[in-house]
Amino acid sequence: MARKFLVISAVLSVVVLGVLAWARFSPEESGPEPGAALVAVSVPEMTGAALEGAVLFKTNCAACHGENAAGRNEFGPPLVHKIYEPGHHADPAFLLAAMRGVRAHHWPFGDMPPVEGVSEQDVEKIVAYVRTLQRANGIN
């Protein structure tokens, strides 16, 4: 009985050591580079408020939320994402976030500070841009 226990213990020890060695020496999977886009975004033709919003977004939002609202790894989340669909984050949520800032609650990027220098009308145009991108990417 003692011999059987020793054999089973030895086999289990070898298996555990093998798993640990494999985990230590296997190549690590790396995520996207810092600043890389987090989602792929199809960009439709823009007109009117959405076109104006694209310019405002690039100036005021893209540093964190990425080009075409695709997010930026280690900086900010993509806005072309199901989390930001109108039924979950209505248009006024964007206005409040821009004007007051917002505590982190869906993503690990930290709190969003208020965006200095944008008016309510600017945010409305930015939202028109983001919603246009969302619709073009199947987010309604």
Side-chain angles (χ1 to χ4, degrees), residues 49-50 52-57 60-61 79 90-101 112 114-131:
E52 292 177 50
V55 173
L56 291 163
F57 184 92
N60 297 288
C61 313
L79 299 178
D91 295 356
F94 285 88
L95 178 64
L96 289 174
M99 297 298 165
R100 297 183 186 172
M112 177 182 151
V115 180
E116 299 294 325
V118 295
S119 68
E120 187 171 334
Q121 292 77 23
D122 291 340
V123 176
E124 288 173 3
K125 292 172 185 173
I126 291 168
V127 170
Y129 168 67
V130 170
R131 296 300 189 210

Side-chain angles (χ1 to χ4, degrees), residues 7-88:
V7 170
I8 291 172
S9 295
V11 169
L12 286 175
S13 296
V14 169
V15 169
V16 168
L17 287 173
V19 168
L20 291 174
W22 176 79
R24 178 166 163 66
F25 296 110
S26 65
E28 291 184 27
E29 290 185 34
S30 59
E33 293 290 321
L38 296 173
V39 297
V41 177
S42 295
V43 181
E45 271 195 52
M46 301 278 171
T47 60
L51 185 59
E52 292 177 50
V55 173
L56 291 163
F57 184 92
K58 185 173 184 174
T59 303
N60 297 288
C61 313
C64 295
H65 292 289
E67 186 177 334
N68 301 315
R72 290 189 67 216
N73 188 41
E74 297 184 16
F75 291 91
L79 299 178
V80 179
H81 192 280
K82 184 176 180 168
I83 286 176
Y84 297 103
E85 68 185 353
H88 190 251

